[in-house]
Amino acid sequence: MLYHLLYPLHEYFKALNVFRYITFRSIMAIMTGFFLVIWLGPAFIRALQRHQIGQVVRDDGPASHYSKRGVPTMGGLLILFAVAVSTLLWADLTNLFPWLLLGITLWYGCIGAYDDYRKIKKRNSKGLSARGKLLFQVAGATAVGLVLFFHPGFDGQLSVPFFKGLRPDLGAAYVLFAVLVIVGASNAVNLTDGLDGLATGPTVVSSSVYLVFSYLAGHAVLSAYLQIPFVQGAGELAIFCGALAGSSLGFLWYNAFPAQMFMGDVGSLAIGGALGAVAIIIKQEILLAIVGGIFVMEALSVILQVGYFKMTGGRRIFLMAPFHHHFEKKGWVEPKVVVRFWIVSVILGLTALATLKLR
Ligand code: 57M
C-alpha cells in the first residue's frame, strides 16, 4: 500500500524513489513484521490468558512437557496478522503472487485455528479429524496449483539443485506435485513444532533463504546469470518472505525457552503451507527439502517410526517420534535440542544458497 501511495510522489520528492526497490521494501517488511509482533506480543499473551486459550498437553509425552500445560497458544494468529499487515504495506498489490501467498497462508491458518479452538474449548476433543484437515489442505493447495497452471507463462518443469541442466517436465501433473509439496510442508512444520522455538528458528532461516531466491527468480538478468528459472513478478514474494521472516523472528522473542506462548496449528500449518507455496511459485520446489531440511527430517522420522511400529507390531526405530522427542528421551535438555536443530538449519540454509553457484 505504501508502495502505491508513496512511490508516485518520487517526481516531487526524489528520496521516495527508494520505494521502487524490492531490496528496500523487503527490509522494511522484515522490520515491520518484527516490531509489530514485539510490540503487540505482551498484550496478545494477556488476551490469550484472559480467554483461557491455553495448551492442552498429552499425558503420554516426555514428563518435562507437563509443566507446559496452560501456556498460551494460538500465537500464530499474531504471526499471521503481522505477515498480512507487513505484506499489504510493502508489496506491489497489482501483482498476483503476494495475494496468492496471503490467500493460502490465511486459508491454512483458518484450518489450524479451527483445530486449535476445538481442542482447547471442547473438552476431550482431538480437534479436526486427520482426514478433515487433509481435505481442506488439499483443497487450498489445489486452488494454488490451478491458479499457477492457468497463469500465463506456466512452467511445469522442476528445478533440481546441483543439476541445473536437468529440468524434468511434469506438464499438468505439476498441479498434483504442487499439492504434495504444499500439504507436505504444512504438515512437516506442524510436526516439528513440539519444543520451544524449534519450528520458529528454522522458519526464520527458510523464509530468509527464500527471500533471496524470490528476489533472484524475479530478476531477469540475475536469474539468467545464475541459471535459475526466471519467474516474472516473483520478486514481490521477497516482500512476503521478509514479512514472514521478521514476524517469526519477533515471535521467537516470546517463543524462546521457556516459551511465553506457542504458535498452535494456526501458526504451524500456515507457515508450512506458505513455505511450500513460495517454493512452488518461484520454481525452487526440490530445494525446499534442503532449506527446510529440519522439517523434512522430522516428518521422515514420524513416517519411519509409525511404519516400522505397525510392521513389527510395536517396535520402534527412535525412542519417540517426531525426532526431537528422541533426543529429549536421551536426556538432552530442551534448549540444547532446539539450538542444535537451529545450527543444522543454518547450515542447510547456507547449503541451499551454495546451490546458486554449484551446478
Ligand atoms: C502436533 N504438537 C505438539 C502447540 C504447537 C503421528 C504422530 C507422530 C503425530 C504427532 C503429532 O500430533 N504432532 C503434531 C505436535 C504440542 O504443541 C502444540 O501443537 C502446536 C503445533 N501443531 O504450537 O500448540 C506440544 O508440543 C510442545 N511444544 C513446546 N513448545 C512449542 O513452542 O514445548 C509446542 C510448541 C505442546 C508442548 O508440549 O503441548 C505435540 O507434540 O503434541 N504426535 C506426536 O508428536 C506424539 N508422538 C507419538 O505418539 N509417537 C509415537 C509413534 C509410534 C506415533 C512413538 O514414537 O512412540 C507425541 N506428542 C506428544 N507427546 N505431545 C507423543 C508424546
Side-chain angles (χ1 to χ4, degrees):
M1 216 172 286
L2 289 180
Y3 168 72
H4 298 284
L5 288 175
L6 297 178
Y7 177 60
L9 300 179
H10 77 279
E11 287 176 18
Y12 312 103
F13 306 102
K14 271 263 173 293
L16 295 179
N17 201 26
V18 74
F19 282 90
R20 206 182 95 205
Y21 298 107
I22 288 177
T23 40
F24 171 75
R25 286 185 287 122
S26 301
I27 293 169
M28 294 315 285
I30 297 176
M31 299 288 196
T32 307
F34 176 77
F35 284 112
L36 259 181
V37 175
I38 291 285
W39 175 49
L40 295 175
F44 190 75
I45 293 171
R46 281 197 299 275
L48 291 173
Q49 283 165 334
R50 223 178 13 255
H51 291 94
Q52 296 181 331
I53 312 283
Q55 185 64 47
V56 180
V57 177
R58 292 166 48 158
D59 295 325
D60 53 354
S64 56
H65 284 248
Y66 299 158
S67 60
K68 293 172 187 264
R69 254 180 210 124
V71 170
T73 188
M74 295 187 77
L77 285 172
L78 181 59
I79 303 181
L80 296 190
F81 173 75
V83 169
V85 169
S86 178
T87 305
L88 292 174
L89 277 181
W90 298 106
D92 171 1
L93 300 178
T94 58
N95 182 308
L96 167 75
F97 294 142
W99 289 110
L100 196 56
L101 245 299
L102 280 178
I104 189 73
T105 308
L106 297 180
W107 174 248
Y108 274 36
C110 288
I111 303 171
Y114 180 71
D115 196 33
D116 284 331
Y117 196 75
R118 280 188 56 134
K119 274 190 233 166
I120 294 160
K121 290 293 174 191
K122 298 222 183 300
R123 292 204 181 279
N124 300 325
S125 167
K126 291 203 159 139
L128 256 179
S129 70
R131 191 178 290 190
K133 210 188 283 188
L134 193 65
L135 197 80
F136 287 117
Q137 286 178 312
V138 168
T142 308
V144 172
L146 287 175
V147 168
L148 293 177
F149 183 67
F150 289 111
H151 190 251
F154 166 74
D155 173 10
Q157 292 181 307
L158 301 182
S159 317
V160 184
F162 301 113
F163 298 93
K164 292 194 175 168
L166 186 61
R167 298 221 46 215
D169 194 346
L170 298 187
Y174 190 84
V175 176
L176 281 180
F177 178 74
V179 171
L180 201 75
V181 171
I182 297 171
V183 173
S186 173
N187 290 317
V189 174
N190 187 35
L191 288 169
T192 307
D193 189 27
L195 295 179
D196 296 352
L198 187 64
T200 319
T203 297
V204 175
V205 174
S206 307
S207 40
S208 305
V209 171
Y210 270 117
L211 184 162
V212 175
F213 272 90
S214 302
Y215 176 75
L216 296 173
H219 197 294
V221 177
L222 290 176
S223 59
Y225 170 67
L226 293 165
Q227 295 180 17
I228 58 169
F230 169 61
V231 183
Q232 180 95 46
E236 288 301 318
L237 286 187
I239 285 116
F240 177 90
C241 291
L244 181 57
S247 308
S248 306
L249 196 63
F251 185 73
L252 191 54
W253 190 270
Y254 302 107
N255 186 224
F257 181 86
Q260 292 163 269
M261 65 173 150
F262 300 151
M263 67 171 80
D265 284 14
V266 55
S268 58
L269 291 181
I271 288 173
L275 289 173
V278 173
I280 290 290
I281 296 174
I282 67 164
K283 310 225 48 71
Q284 292 295 339
E285 320 87 349
I286 300 177
L287 190 81
L288 185 59
I290 302 176
V291 181
I294 290 289
F295 304 131
V296 174
M297 192 182 71
E298 293 269 33
L300 269 181
S301 76
V302 169
I303 294 168
L304 291 175
Q305 178 94 326
V306 174
Y308 191 72
F309 189 87
K310 284 190 176 154
M311 261 167 46
T312 58
R315 287 174 55 197
R316 292 177 165 85
I317 302 173
F318 308 105
L319 296 176
M320 188 182 272
F323 206 31
H324 53 263
H325 286 316
H326 175 79
F327 295 105
E328 281 198 294
K329 289 266 182 190
K330 279 184 84 131
W332 294 19
V333 290
E334 184 170 347
K336 192 167 203 85
V337 182
V338 172
V339 173
R340 286 192 170 164
F341 274 48
W342 287 353
I343 294 170
V344 174
S345 174
V346 170
I347 295 298
L348 287 169
L350 292 173
T351 309
L353 289 172
T355 66
L356 284 168
K357 282 311 238 177
L358 300 175
R359 55 193 73 151

